[in-house]
Amino acid sequence: MENAIFEEKKVSKAYMKLSLPLVLSMTVSLIYNLADTFFVAQTQNTNIVAGVSLCAPLFTTLMALGNIFGQGGSSLISRLLGKNDTTATRRVSAFCFWGAILIGALMGFIMLLFRTPLLYVIGANEETFNFARDYYTWLAIGAPALVLSFIHSNLLRSEGMSKESMIGTMGGAIVNILLDPIFISVLGLNAGGAAMASVIGYIFSDVYFAVVVAKKSKVLTLDIQETRIPADHIKDIFAIGIPAAVVNIMSSVSAVLVNQFLLPYGNEKIAAMGIALKVSMIVLLLLTGFSFGGQPLFGYYYGAGDKQRFGELFHFCLKFISGLALALSAVVFILAKPFMRIFMDNETIIADGALMLRLQVVSMVFVGVVLLMTILFQATGKAVGSSILSVSRQGIVFMVVLFVAANLFGCTGVLFSQAVADFLSAILAVVLFKKLVYKEIFE
């Protein structure tokens, strides 16, 4: 284990060492997402863009399944390493690896079995069905690879190997970016080509991570014979991993609901929202990267009982993440129309998308607070707090706001629902923090 990082005297320096590689890998993943959207949008076919956008919730659901074992496992491993229990760490890592493969294969099978009804559930219609089906099919075939890619990208960071985690994630994204124009444009595979490129990229990452674990890791393993772990450890993984996964699943559900509410207003609205959401990921992924970058440190300090460093890290992260959210949101808010124009040469979509984009980023400072509090709950094993937040921002709070706003204000209400939900969720996060963590650490 890279003990030097966890024993670094200056917590802000240790935080940056762990966070920056993650942020860089997420930046490349972001570039991939934007490039994917760009190459699909270059077909200038609104139905293709809408068809790919409709499948985003399913991609997020697969990511959620990976996060059950990736985030749940990394949270437990960080605390175990703080206690210097390397034997338990190996067994937890093996359990997470093989569990991810199993659940990914099962999910892919279910997706293929119920392909047609699920496509209509996510909002496909006569114009978009074939394009959505092509993307969906390859996404289902590659489900095991996609789910597995989120395991060691998280577990390696828990051991302090952020650079290796970054290289694996970045490598897969770069492969994806290189293959996108070939599959989408040169071979003319359109939506299906975009999905094929993604699957190959994830396979590349999985192979790289497996090699790193086998050759470099001192506390992680791929050995299926070491998958047996105590019931308490399984409970700990699921107690944190399931709420983390619920965040992604709720994101999928909210996206489906938004698409359904926008469907009466035409496929151009759905296409505009799909692009706006991808661009808003510039802010969201960077905030997520810096938030998750501190999780191994929070977990290690908590496991070691080092309240002083835990407190120092919290105050630094709160100031840094909030400032970053404000700065990034301001840039995207001002440049909303130029960002939209990169992807589509359609003035209606550009105008609609710019408004959607601004409403997505205007509340990102509140999102930063929610993310930081969620990471604190995960790192300290506070399953109740993590569970409540996981069903708030894009879950129950968002759904209530969406239904009320849509009925009162129509399309405009649908668009500003997320901003209102972000504000309310941030208030909830602060209240939970004071009740579940503040007294234990700061008093």
Side-chain angles (χ1 to χ4, degrees), residues 220-256:
L220 306 178
T221 183
L222 307 176
D223 191 349
I224 195 171
Q225 295 182 351
E226 294 198 45
T227 54
R228 289 188 177 182
I229 60 175
D232 286 346
H233 285 173
I234 296 176
K235 180 181 177 182
D236 286 341
I237 291 170
F238 289 162
I240 297 301
I242 290 177
V246 169
V247 172
N248 299 120
I249 293 172
M250 286 297 180
S251 176
S252 299
V253 173
S254 68
V256 170

Side-chain angles (χ1 to χ4, degrees), residues 189-209:
L189 298 175
N190 296 322
M196 290 172 65
S198 296
V199 170
I200 294 172
Y202 284 116
I203 291 173
F204 176 91
S205 295
D206 293 336
V207 172
Y208 172 82
F209 287 139

Side-chain angles (χ1 to χ4, degrees), residues 273-297:
M273 179 59 83
I275 295 173
L277 289 174
K278 286 291 181 73
V279 177
S280 68
M281 287 175 66
I282 295 171
V283 182
L284 183 58
L285 282 183
L286 289 174
L287 293 179
T288 302
F290 278 111
S291 297
F292 276 84
Q295 186 186 38
L297 280 176

Side-chain angles (χ1 to χ4, degrees), residues 176-217:
N176 198 334
I177 292 170
L178 294 175
L179 293 178
D180 260 341
I182 297 174
F183 287 178
I184 296 171
S185 303
V186 177
L187 298 180
L189 298 175
N190 296 322
M196 290 172 65
S198 296
V199 170
I200 294 172
Y202 284 116
I203 291 173
F204 176 91
S205 295
D206 293 336
V207 172
Y208 172 82
F209 287 139
V211 171
V212 171
V213 170
K215 293 189 174 182
K216 293 189 65 175
S217 177

